[in-house]
Amino acid sequence: FNKWIEGLNRTRKVAFGRLATLFGATDISAETWDELEAILIQADLGVETTESILAVLQDLVNREGLTHTDELQSSLRAELIRRLDAAPAVDFDSHKPTIVLVVGVNGSGKTTTIAKLGRQYAMQGKKVLLAAADTYRAAAVDQLQVWGERLNIPVIAGQPEGDPGAVAFDAVQAALSRKMDIVLIDTAGRLHTRYNLMEELKKVYRVVGKALPGAPHATWLVLDATTGQNALQQARAFKETAQVSGVILAKLDSSAKGGMAFAIQKELGLPILYAGLGERPEDLQPFDREAFVDGILG
Ligand code: GDP
């Protein structure tokens, strides 16, 4: 039982399924390249990455005199892996507590992802604190508190409509006095008021830095993998305001466009830290580029 194979079922079937008919006992022809290009574009790898992979494979064919399509398979796998960075390990040792801001638009899977992360770290023996600084959405605060109770992880929350900065500040102070290892701060994500959202984020940065100089130590952007190019645009907007240090791709299991992982690496230069492969708390995996590529290729 492999979570990646299961979680990437849709991307594999919808986007990459045609590879099975492409890689057969047929001769490599112009149609091979057209079809491979169409598959990679459809999977949202982005034009640049697609063209560059095609160029590498075409070069290989010419150099080694390959003639059959099935001879391309392992090279495609290697090329895909090569285009993804290995996920850096989360550094808990340099700062205690380690303060992480989690950003992303509403509906991206941010709150669920925070719960999943909290659970993982708690299982590793870390002392985790969650902060519900998305005070504009009462439901988001409730949701995080429910997760906290279920997972037995403390949650700092403010008043509804209260100041997100104040919640973040309280959380950092509480973490210092309670000697926590990590604080995950849930921030607001109303994209329709992008200006306010970004201004508010800046304020949270300032306040967190005041509570603990040098903090936050990381900013993780949660993106909804089902939204493809849209998620990429959001990522650009967040990158302008926030010091995004890594991306978490939520809902990869619901997406047929898992290829956007490549576009994120190429265009944004941000490492993918985790992948959401389902709705349950245990459905979050540290990003493993080989398992990911095997999951999409099958
Ligand atoms: P937020 O508005 O960004 O905080 O989003 P939520 O955490 O409330 O998630 C929105 C919806 O996406 C919820 O129904 C979650 O259960 C669902 N969701 C979150 N992550 C995943 C995932 O990795 N896979 C699937 N299938 N659903 C997810």
Side-chain angles (χ1 to χ4, degrees):
F1 174 78
N2 181 324
K3 284 199 167 183
W4 290 92
I5 294 286
E6 176 150 313
L8 293 167
N9 208 9
R10 290 203 58 191
T11 291
R12 185 171 63 251
K13 286 201 171 133
V14 179
F16 290 92
R18 282 149 63 196
L19 280 179
T21 41
L22 181 68
F23 292 143
T26 49
D27 287 337
I28 296 169
S29 65
E31 283 86 72
T32 309
W33 302 116
D34 288 348
E35 174 70 354
L36 185 56
E37 181 179 36
I39 291 170
L40 299 181
I41 296 273
Q42 194 198 334
D44 259 0
L45 267 83
V47 177
E48 262 184 73
T49 301
T50 298
E51 298 310 327
S52 138
I53 289 175
L54 288 177
V56 169
L57 294 184
Q58 281 165 345
D59 188 50
L60 185 83
V61 165
N62 293 336
R63 229 175 337 115
E64 307 211 344
L66 306 182
T67 51
H68 276 81
T69 50
D70 54 7
E71 292 172 297
L72 292 174
Q73 210 154 353
S74 62
S75 308
L76 174 64
R77 177 178 181 274
E79 273 309 304
L80 289 172
I81 292 170
R82 206 170 64 78
R83 282 176 163 73
L84 296 167
D85 289 341
V90 179
D91 171 20
F92 289 108
D93 301 327
S94 304
H95 308 282
K96 191 179 163 83
T98 300
I99 313 291
V100 180
L101 280 195
V102 185
V103 302
V105 303
N106 288 345
S108 61
K110 190 159 43 76
T111 308
T112 312
T113 298
I114 288 171
K116 291 170 171 175
L117 289 168
R119 173 184 175 275
Q120 252 180 46
Y121 299 147
M123 283 179 66
Q124 292 165 16
K126 306 284 183 216
K127 287 177 76 180
V128 184
L129 182 68
L130 306 181
D134 186 357
T135 52
Y136 294 95
R137 270 198 314 170
V141 176
D142 289 348
Q143 197 188 339
L144 203 63
Q145 281 176 319
V146 169
W147 275 118
E149 273 165 40
R150 260 180 73 181
L151 300 170
N152 205 16
I153 295 173
V155 178
I156 300 282
Q159 299 300 315
E161 303 284 317
D163 177 16
V167 176
F169 188 87
D170 288 350
V172 174
Q173 292 229 306
L176 284 165
S177 66
R178 286 149 77 174
K179 302 208 174 348
M180 294 300 199
D181 293 303
I182 183 159
V183 184
L184 299 166
I185 303 177
D186 191 6
T187 59
R190 300 155 304 154
L191 193 70
H192 56 283
T193 51
R194 183 177 282 175
Y195 176 76
N196 289 338
L197 170 61
M198 297 303 175
E199 283 307 303
E200 191 179 288
L201 254 182
K202 283 186 196 163
K203 193 173 156 199
V204 172
Y205 271 99
R206 280 198 301 273
V207 168
V208 167
K210 217 177 255 176
L212 178 62
H217 307 108
T219 302
W220 296 343
L221 172 63
V222 178
L223 295 175
D224 179 342
T226 64
T227 61
Q229 290 299 313
N230 213 341
L232 217 70
Q233 265 178 17
Q234 287 168 18
R236 284 189 204 104
F238 274 99
K239 222 187 142 187
E240 277 170 26
T241 308
Q243 295 113 46
V244 180
S245 44
V247 166
I248 298 176
L249 269 185
K251 309 190 207 178
L252 264 177
D253 57 305
S254 307
S255 174
K257 296 185 175 288
M260 68 182 279
F262 298 94
I264 286 170
Q265 288 261 272
K266 169 89 187 155
E267 290 186 38
L268 304 169
L270 292 169
I272 298 162
L273 306 172
Y274 292 93
L277 297 172
E279 290 191 84
R280 297 168 308 168
E282 60 271 34
D283 295 331
L284 185 81
Q285 294 286 316
F287 190 72
D288 174 337
R289 54 188 178 161
E290 298 197 357
F292 173 76
V293 169
D294 287 337
I296 59 178
L297 294 180

